[in-house]
Amino acid sequence: MGERVLMKGNEAIAEAAIRAGVQSYFGYPITPQNELIAYMALHMPRKGRTFIQAESEVAAINMVYGAAAAGMRSMTSSSSPGISLKQEGISYLVGAQLPAVIVNIMRGGPGLGNIAPSQADYFQSCKGGGHGDYHLVVYAPSTVQEAADLTAKSFDVADRYRNPVLILGDAIIGQMMEPVTLSEIQPDPPPKPWAVGGARNGRKPNLINSLSLEEGVIEEWNWLFKAKYEAIKQNEPMLEMLRCEDADLILIAYGTTSRICKEVLRQARAKGLKIGLIRPITLWPFPYQAIARAARKTREFLVVEMSLGQMVEDVQLAVLGDAAVHFHGRPGGGIPREQDIMEIIAHVLANKRAGAITTRGTVIDWKAS
Amino acid sequence: MSDTDMQKIAGRSSLWNDRPSPYCPGCGHGVVHRVICELIEEYKLADNCVFMAPVGCSILAYTFLDLDVCQSAHGRTPAVATGIKRSRPDTFVLAYQGDGDLASIGTAEIVHAANRGENITTVFVNNAIYGMTGGQMAPTTLPGQKATTCPGGRDAASGMGHPIRICELLQSLDGVTYLARSSVHTPANVIKTKQAIKKAFDVQLNRKGFSLVEVLSSCPVNWGMQPVESLDFVANNMAPQYPLGEYKVDGVCVAPKA
Ligand SMILES: Cc1ncc(C[n+]2csc(CCOP(=O)(O)OP(=O)(O)O)c2C)c(N)n1
Ligand code: SF4
C-alpha cells in the first residue's frame, strides 16, 4: 500500500503523473488548474525531469509533440479556453500517432466564461475538437483518488495505442481536497522503436509525420486508426453501476455531477423510490452497450450534466428509443441541486411525463425543446 | 470667492464611473487607468474610442470605465484592435495589455501589429508577474524573483528564460513610430507616464502608425510585499532591468534617457 495523504485533485494528478514516469511536462497558467502546473514546477526539476512554463498553450502542446516524438512520456494540462488552443496540436499528435496525456480541468464557457466547474467540453473532448477523423480516450474521474489512478493508467493506455489520452475533470475535481492513496508505480513504458533522436546504431531513419500527398496513404492510415479505435472500444470502456437491477429510473452522470446523483440516489432510496445510477468513467469509448442492456429493463433515464445537454445525446444513441431519456442540466458554471433532481424524478415517475428542470425551477418538455 | 467662481482643477475623471476599483491596494493598474482616462477626456475622445481590455486583472475595466470596451482572447488584443481600427479608422483604439498577455502568449500578435504599423496605441503594463491567475512567472519576471511556477526563483541557466525587454525588442521594427518605457511608482514618474502616453496618443491621432508605452507597475499581492515596499521594488529592482525613457520618437531610434 502507498501513503495516504490529503491532496487537491490537481496536485494528485500531477503526483500520479510523476509516479507514472512522466518525463516532461509543459503548461501555461490558467485557473482552475494552476495547482497542477505549480506542483510540476516544484517537483519535476528536483527529479531531473523537464518542466517548462511555455509561452502559450499552443506552444505547450507542440512541446508535448516534440517530447513524445523523442519517445518521452509527456503531458500538458490546462482549462477550457487553453484546451481550445491545444486542439490543433492534439490533431497532429493523433495524426503522427504520438502518445501523450492531456488534462482539461473544465470551467464555464463559452469564451472566457468563468472559473466555476463545468462539463461543457464534452462534445469537444469526445466528438473531435480538432480537425480530422479521430478519437481520444477520455477519462472522467469523480474523486481525487480516481483522478490520480486514471492519470497513472493514462500513460500506459496512451503508449499502448500510440494515441493521446484526455483526463476530463472540472473545477471541483481539480480544486477539492480528499484523502488519496498514492501507490508506488514501476513505470513500464513499451519500447518506442519509432521515436526520433538517440543513437541510431545503424537503424533506418525514423519519421514522425502526419502528412502524405501520395494517393491513398492518408486513407490507409485512417483505416489503421479505425482498427485502433475498435480495439479501444473493445478493451477500454469503464463505468460504475449502482442499484440498477430493480430501478424504475436510472440516473446517468459523470464526474462531479455523478457525486451529486449518488446523494440523490441515497435520498430517493430512503424514500422508497427505486433509483439507480450509471456513471461512465470513460466518456470515449462511451459505454453504449451497458446502457443499452439497462434500457431493456428500465424505462426511464435521467441524464444530469453541467451543460445544456451533451452526453445526453450519447445516452439517446445507446437506448435507441427503448427507454425515455430525460435531462437536467445547468450551464455556464451552474451546479445541479439535489432538490431539483429529486423534483424531476418525482415528476417523471408520478406523471410519466418527459421533462427537464431549468435553473429557474420550471419544468420544460425536454423532447419538445 | 463664491462657489460659482471655483474651478475644478483636479479630481476623478468623469470617465471613471462611481464604482469600486477591482484592484488590490497598491496595484499600479488603477493609476495607469486614471492617466489614460484623463488623456481621453483632455482630447475629447470618449465618444469615439474603444478600450481594448486584455485577459489579466484589467479585464474588469469595463465594470467602471464609461467607454466602449472590447475584450479579446488572451494575447490576441493587437489582432482584434487591428480589426477594429481597419474597420473604423476614425475611432481611437487604445489597447491595454499585461506582460503575460503581451509578452508571452501574445508575442506574435504584438510583433506583427507593430510591424504593420497599425495605427493603434498600446499601453503595456509590466508588473513582472501573472496577477490574475495568482502569481505565476511572467516573461518579464526578474532573475531570482520567486513565483508559483519558479518557486526557487527565476533562473535563466535552468531554462526559464531571461526577462523580455519589449521596448528594445520592438525598436527595430520599421512600423513602430513611438516607443517609451515609464513607471508609476512616484508622482513624478506618473507625470512622465502621462507625457509619454500623450505622445503615443498624438501618433495615433495624426495617423502616424504604431505607438506603445510600457509602464512598470506593482503587484504587491503576488509579490508578497506591502504596497510601499512594492514601490521600492519597482525603483530598485525593476527600473535597472528595464531602463526608463523613450526608445523611438517619430520612427527614429533614440537612446533612453530617464
Ligand atoms: C487561453 C488562455 N490561457 C490562460 C488563461 C488564464 N489567464 C488569465 S489572465 C492570465 C495572465 C495574466 O497576467 P498578465 O498579462 O501579466 O496581467 P496581470 O493580471 O498581471 O495584469 C492568464 C494566464 C486564459 N484566460 N486564457
Ligand atoms: S493581483 Fe496584482 S495586478 Fe492584479 S489587481 Fe492585485 S495587485 Fe493588481
Side-chain angles (χ1 to χ4, degrees), chain B residues 22-29 57-58 127 129-132 218-222:
Chain B
Y23 301 120
C24 310
C27 176
H29 275 305
C57 284
S58 38
N127 59 12
I129 198 99
Y130 282 28
M132 190 186 208
S218 50
C219 177
V221 170
N222 287 305

Side-chain angles (χ1 to χ4, degrees), chain A residues 28 34 53 55-57 112, chain B residues 59 74 104-105 130 137 149:
Chain A
Y28 186 79
N34 284 322
Q53 179 183 327
E55 67 271 29
S56 68
E57 291 86 353
L112 215 40
Chain B
I59 197 171
H74 195 18
S104 188
I105 195 169
Y130 282 28
M137 184 180 77
T149 50

Side-chain angles (χ1 to χ4, degrees), chain A residues 28-31 34 56-57 78-83 85 107 112, chain B residues 23 27 29 54-59 73-76 96-103 105 124-134 136 138-140 219 222:
Chain A
Y28 186 79
I30 187 166
T31 314
N34 284 322
S56 68
E57 291 86 353
S78 188
S79 175
S80 310
I83 294 290
L85 282 183
R107 61 189 234 179
L112 215 40
Chain B
Y23 301 120
C27 176
H29 275 305
V55 174
C57 284
S58 38
I59 197 171
H74 195 18
R76 316 295 181 226
Y96 190 99
Q97 296 189 265
D99 42 61
D101 199 68
L102 182 142
I105 195 169
F124 165 41
V125 175
N126 176 359
N127 59 12
I129 198 99
Y130 282 28
M132 190 186 208
T133 40
Q136 294 83 9
T140 50
C219 177
N222 287 305

Side-chain angles (χ1 to χ4, degrees), chain B residues 106-118:
Chain B
T107 33
E109 283 79 4
I110 193 65
V111 165
H112 290 280
N115 191 47
R116 289 191 304 267
E118 290 302 337

